[in-house]
Amino acid sequence: MSLDQQPPLGSAFKLDKYELSRELAGSGIATTWAAKTADDDRNYVVLRLNRNVTKKADTAEAFLRDAETGKLAPHANLVPVVQCGLADGEAFVVYEYFSGEALSSLITQAKTDGIPASISLRIGRDMLEGLAAAHRATPALAHGELNPFHMIV
């Protein structure tokens, strides 16, 4: 099966050692997949750079370089990078899976219910601490799409 296609319902396909079971999100640049391995029972998230983007050598190299740097920036408010590389002509990054709610969902709910100031301040502080840790990495990391859809609370 081409990796540019969604697997049939109820099936999975492999990218390197990861069984990709369902697409979580997608854009013109990359898709994000729920994944597991045969090695363990842990859940992972695989970010696949779309093939048309991977073909641009500078973009794929920068993507993988940032992912490698992400391994060197451990912080409680950053999702750990497990692995990154090229497989089947695609650049990919594997992250630990964290359950939770996207900040965007909380914001939508807050339009009717509101968010206590103490919670808003905690979310903002945690986000800034994670960003500071990323910026302290060598070389510094910059998140290209920092938005509430990419933050788990």
Side-chain angles (χ1 to χ4, degrees), residues 21-60:
S21 58
R22 65 184 170 92
E23 186 173 342
L24 301 172
S27 70
I29 297 172
T31 55
T32 307
W33 294 79
K36 283 189 171 274
T37 69
D39 300 340
D40 58 40
D41 282 337
R42 294 172 44 198
N43 292 308
Y44 299 95
V45 173
V46 176
L47 178 65
R48 295 172 45 215
L49 197 61
N50 293 344
R51 284 180 187 263
N52 61 327
V53 179
T54 301
K55 288 178 186 174
K56 300 173 185 170
D58 291 347
T59 304

Side-chain angles (χ1 to χ4, degrees), residues 76-140:
N77 298 332
L78 296 174
V79 178
V81 174
V82 175
Q83 179 184 348
C84 58
L86 287 169
D88 300 323
E90 289 191 18
F92 69 95
V93 180
V94 180
Y95 299 95
E96 286 186 29
Y97 173 82
F98 285 89
S99 63
E101 184 177 3
L103 179 58
S104 58
S105 298
L106 183 63
I107 291 169
T108 299
Q109 180 184 347
K111 289 179 183 177
T112 56
D113 301 337
I115 299 176
S118 61
I119 293 175
S120 296
L121 290 170
R122 173 71 187 264
I123 291 169
R125 185 190 75 212
D126 289 350
M127 178 188 68
L128 291 172
E129 287 176 357
L131 283 172
H135 292 167
R136 283 191 300 270
T138 305

